């Protein structure tokens, strides 16, 4: 398959999925993700379960990536003391609570034609920026993702500074009451205050 020229998100328009056929022809090479984007994304929106957006080139209108986001939260009572202490480290004692608002990345896929061009990490950075000041329309402290429990996928989120909400698979299974031998996904999170601090410390 012919590769696209190297491309950046800044060269693209962000478009919201508004019809069943918006993502026709898009493929990231994963059957589960492709089925969701091509068949389910629009209906998730109609049921108010998630909003899907995609990036397309300004000139050729070719879709290079798509993602779905939804509201979520991190429940302090469902994580270990170690993780809770780490998670709350930058939250003043007076502001600590039982639930912390978060945005869930429900799906994220990159077109097969732009693999190796860092588009996935660019999309993650875009979402981080989008859900912090001044664009964030509601309180949102964390980004969470249920990442496929596969080394390549987990390494991708680790490189983008996501951490595990549970230290081990066994801890995650026991806490969530999952009676399975192997988890298909691992819950990971990113603290958006780190991104805000980074932007503030590196602004000119």
């Amino acid at each position: 398959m012919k590769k696209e020229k190297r491309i950046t998100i800044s060269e693209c328009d962000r478009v919201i999925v508004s019809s069943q056929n918006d993502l026709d022809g898009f493929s990231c090479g994963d059957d589960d993700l492709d089925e969701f984007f091509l068949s389910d994304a629009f209906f998730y929106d109609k049921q108010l379960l998630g909003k899907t957006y995609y990036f397309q080139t300004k000139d050729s209108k070719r879709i290079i990536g798509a993602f779905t986001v939804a509201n979520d939260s991190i429940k302090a009572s469902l994580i270990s003391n170690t993780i809770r202490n780490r998670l709350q480290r930058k939250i003043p004692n007076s502001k600590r609570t039982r639930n912390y608002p978060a945005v869930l990345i429900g799906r994220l896929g990159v077109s097969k034609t732009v693999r190796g061009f860092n588009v996935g990490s660019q999309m993650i950075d875009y979402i981080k920026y989008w859900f912090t000041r001044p664009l964030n329309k509601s309180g949102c402290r964390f980004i969470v993702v249920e990442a496929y429990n596969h080394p390549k996928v987990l390494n991708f989120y680790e490189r983008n500074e996501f951490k595990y909400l549970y230290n081990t698979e066994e801890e995650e299974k026991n806490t969530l009451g999952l009676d399975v031998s192997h988890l298909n996904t691992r819950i990971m999170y990113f603290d958006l205050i780190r991104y805000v601090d980074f932007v503030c410390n590196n602004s000119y």
Side-chain angles (χ1 to χ4, degrees):
M1 180 175 291
K2 184 180 178 181
K3 288 276 189 178
E4 285 268 12
K5 68 175 183 178
R6 184 168 294 277
I7 196 166
T8 64
I9 292 298
S10 61
E11 300 174 61
C12 300
D13 292 316
R14 189 201 75 228
V15 186
I16 189 169
V17 168
S18 58
S19 77
Q20 175 63 32
N21 303 317
D22 280 358
L23 292 170
D24 282 358
F26 173 71
S27 175
C28 57
D30 180 278
D31 291 342
D32 180 59
L33 284 174
D34 287 347
E35 181 180 1
F36 175 83
F37 285 125
L38 297 177
S39 303
D40 299 331
F42 177 67
F43 296 105
Y44 267 64
D45 174 50
K46 300 299 286 185
Q47 292 297 317
L48 307 182
L49 297 174
K51 283 283 188 182
T52 298
Y53 302 83
Y54 59 94
F55 291 98
Q56 66 178 14
T57 56
K58 296 178 183 293
D59 49 2
S60 63
K61 306 299 182 185
R62 182 168 297 184
I63 299 172
I64 67 164
F67 67 92
T68 302
V69 288
N71 293 325
D72 205 342
S73 67
I74 293 179
K75 295 176 174 58
S77 61
L78 293 181
I79 54 180
S80 68
N81 290 336
T82 302
I83 299 295
R84 183 163 57 249
N85 290 338
R86 180 201 302 163
L87 184 144
Q88 294 180 331
R89 193 169 295 151
K90 287 194 172 186
I91 300 176
N93 289 335
S94 62
K95 305 301 180 186
R96 294 179 182 179
T97 182
R98 293 177 296 176
N99 300 311
Y100 294 101
V103 60
L104 169 71
I105 300 177
R107 298 290 194 284
L108 186 145
V110 174
S111 171
K112 294 186 295 185
T113 63
V114 293
R115 283 179 179 167
F117 294 164
N118 206 37
V119 171
S121 291
Q122 292 181 55
M123 291 170 64
I124 291 291
D125 284 341
Y126 184 95
I127 295 169
K128 289 175 181 177
Y129 175 73
W130 200 22
F131 282 94
T132 52
R133 301 188 299 263
L135 299 179
N136 185 25
K137 300 299 187 296
S138 65
C140 178
R141 177 59 187 256
F142 298 97
I143 297 176
V144 294
V145 60
E146 293 186 16
Y148 288 133
N149 193 7
H150 184 278
K152 185 176 180 180
V153 177
L154 298 176
N155 288 339
F156 167 75
Y157 283 104
E158 287 175 358
R159 290 197 308 272
N160 283 281
E161 302 183 275
F162 280 72
K163 300 183 182 301
Y164 294 97
L165 193 59
Y166 300 95
N167 288 311
T168 65
E169 282 193 53
E170 199 63 30
E171 180 184 324
E172 188 166 337
K173 286 189 292 185
N174 291 338
T175 303
L176 300 180
L178 301 175
D179 186 18
V180 294
S181 59
H182 175 74
L183 292 177
N184 292 324
T185 60
R186 294 293 311 277
I187 303 175
M188 305 179 76
Y189 74 94
F190 177 85
D191 188 348
L192 283 167
I193 204 70
R194 297 180 57 203
Y195 190 78
V196 171
D197 291 344
F198 174 81
V199 171
C200 291
N201 293 334
N202 290 274
S203 60
Y204 296 94

Tab-separated table of all heavy atoms in Angstrom, residues 9 17 20 29 40 48 62 75 93 107 115 128 186 201:
chain	number	residue	atom	x	y	z
A	9	ILE	N	-0.807	16.885	12.421
A	9	ILE	CA	-2.189	17.244	12.734
A	9	ILE	C	-2.477	18.694	12.362
A	9	ILE	O	-3.593	19.034	11.961
A	9	ILE	CB	-2.458	17.012	14.237
A	9	ILE	CG1	-2.426	15.516	14.561
A	9	ILE	CG2	-3.795	17.603	14.661
A	9	ILE	CD1	-3.457	14.693	13.856
A	17	VAL	N	-18.001	13.453	13.522
A	17	VAL	CA	-18.815	12.503	12.776
A	17	VAL	C	-20.280	12.902	12.925
A	17	VAL	O	-20.797	12.998	14.043
A	17	VAL	CB	-18.592	11.064	13.287
A	17	VAL	CG1	-19.654	10.124	12.719
A	17	VAL	CG2	-17.208	10.570	12.887
A	20	GLN	N	-23.677	8.435	9.148
A	20	GLN	CA	-23.218	7.058	9.159
A	20	GLN	C	-22.049	6.816	8.197
A	20	GLN	O	-21.214	5.946	8.411
A	20	GLN	CB	-24.382	6.125	8.783
A	20	GLN	CG	-24.017	4.666	8.633
A	20	GLN	CD	-23.514	4.049	9.922
A	20	GLN	OE1	-23.944	4.431	11.004
A	20	GLN	NE2	-22.599	3.104	9.812
A	29	GLY	N	-6.416	-0.902	10.211
A	29	GLY	CA	-5.805	-2.220	10.172
A	29	GLY	C	-6.168	-3.136	11.324
A	29	GLY	O	-5.654	-4.251	11.416
A	40	ASP	N	-20.370	1.698	14.197
A	40	ASP	CA	-20.961	2.011	15.500
A	40	ASP	C	-20.817	3.461	15.954
A	40	ASP	O	-21.611	3.931	16.770
A	40	ASP	CB	-20.338	1.116	16.583
A	40	ASP	CG	-20.601	-0.364	16.321
A	40	ASP	OD1	-21.640	-0.670	15.707
A	40	ASP	OD2	-19.770	-1.194	16.720
A	48	LEU	N	-25.960	9.319	22.746
A	48	LEU	CA	-25.254	10.174	23.701
A	48	LEU	C	-24.228	9.394	24.520
A	48	LEU	O	-23.969	9.700	25.682
A	48	LEU	CB	-26.247	10.871	24.647
A	48	LEU	CG	-27.389	11.644	23.985
A	48	LEU	CD1	-28.262	12.308	25.044
A	48	LEU	CD2	-26.878	12.686	22.998
A	62	ARG	N	-8.412	13.475	2.932
A	62	ARG	CA	-8.179	12.086	3.307
A	62	ARG	C	-8.108	11.974	4.818
A	62	ARG	O	-7.424	12.742	5.480
A	62	ARG	CB	-6.892	11.571	2.668
A	62	ARG	CG	-6.620	10.102	2.979
A	62	ARG	CD	-5.519	9.543	2.130
A	62	ARG	NE	-5.886	9.573	0.722
A	62	ARG	CZ	-5.122	9.070	-0.244
A	62	ARG	NH1	-3.959	8.517	0.068
A	62	ARG	NH2	-5.507	9.134	-1.487
A	75	LYS	N	-12.807	6.744	40.422
A	75	LYS	CA	-13.368	6.602	41.771
A	75	LYS	C	-12.250	6.238	42.739
A	75	LYS	O	-11.659	5.157	42.636
A	75	LYS	CB	-14.468	5.552	41.764
A	75	LYS	CG	-15.674	5.949	40.914
A	75	LYS	CD	-16.702	4.839	40.849
A	75	LYS	CE	-17.954	5.311	40.115
A	75	LYS	NZ	-17.647	5.788	38.739
A	93	ASN	N	-5.491	19.039	49.792
A	93	ASN	CA	-6.308	18.206	50.683
A	93	ASN	C	-7.769	18.634	50.701
A	93	ASN	O	-8.674	17.800	50.708
A	93	ASN	CB	-5.746	18.244	52.106
A	93	ASN	CG	-4.439	17.491	52.229
A	93	ASN	OD1	-4.155	16.590	51.454
A	93	ASN	ND2	-3.627	17.863	53.216
A	107	ARG	N	-12.075	5.092	21.781
A	107	ARG	CA	-11.408	4.489	20.632
A	107	ARG	C	-10.431	5.509	20.056
A	107	ARG	O	-10.690	6.720	20.092
A	107	ARG	CB	-12.404	4.100	19.531
A	107	ARG	CG	-13.437	3.069	19.906
A	107	ARG	CD	-12.843	1.691	20.084
A	107	ARG	NE	-13.859	0.648	20.129
A	107	ARG	CZ	-14.652	0.382	21.154
A	107	ARG	NH1	-14.552	1.121	22.253
A	107	ARG	NH2	-15.528	-0.612	21.114
A	115	ARG	N	1.075	5.196	9.056
A	115	ARG	CA	1.785	4.542	10.144
A	115	ARG	C	3.256	4.955	10.128
A	115	ARG	O	3.864	5.114	9.069
A	115	ARG	CB	1.690	3.027	9.998
A	115	ARG	CG	0.355	2.465	10.422
A	115	ARG	CD	0.327	0.963	10.226
A	115	ARG	NE	-0.944	0.395	10.661
A	115	ARG	CZ	-1.310	-0.848	10.374
A	115	ARG	NH1	-0.520	-1.638	9.672
A	115	ARG	NH2	-2.473	-1.300	10.793
A	128	LYS	N	-5.064	16.114	24.875
A	128	LYS	CA	-4.584	16.716	26.129
A	128	LYS	C	-4.813	18.225	26.111
A	128	LYS	O	-5.295	18.811	27.091
A	128	LYS	CB	-3.101	16.419	26.326
A	128	LYS	CG	-2.768	14.976	26.657
A	128	LYS	CD	-1.262	14.774	26.717
A	128	LYS	CE	-0.894	13.335	27.012
A	128	LYS	NZ	0.576	13.119	26.991
A	186	ARG	N	-6.312	-2.833	29.729
A	186	ARG	CA	-5.799	-2.301	30.991
A	186	ARG	C	-6.207	-0.837	31.096
A	186	ARG	O	-6.091	-0.081	30.116
A	186	ARG	CB	-4.272	-2.391	31.058
A	186	ARG	CG	-3.698	-3.803	31.090
A	186	ARG	CD	-4.027	-4.558	32.375
A	186	ARG	NE	-3.743	-3.795	33.587
A	186	ARG	CZ	-2.534	-3.711	34.165
A	186	ARG	NH1	-1.495	-4.325	33.613
A	186	ARG	NH2	-2.370	-3.033	35.286
A	201	ASN	N	5.031	26.301	32.179
A	201	ASN	CA	6.459	26.411	32.419
A	201	ASN	C	7.267	26.607	31.153
A	201	ASN	O	8.410	27.029	31.200
A	201	ASN	CB	6.973	25.165	33.158
A	201	ASN	CG	6.433	25.069	34.568
A	201	ASN	OD1	6.086	26.078	35.176
A	201	ASN	ND2	6.359	23.863	35.092
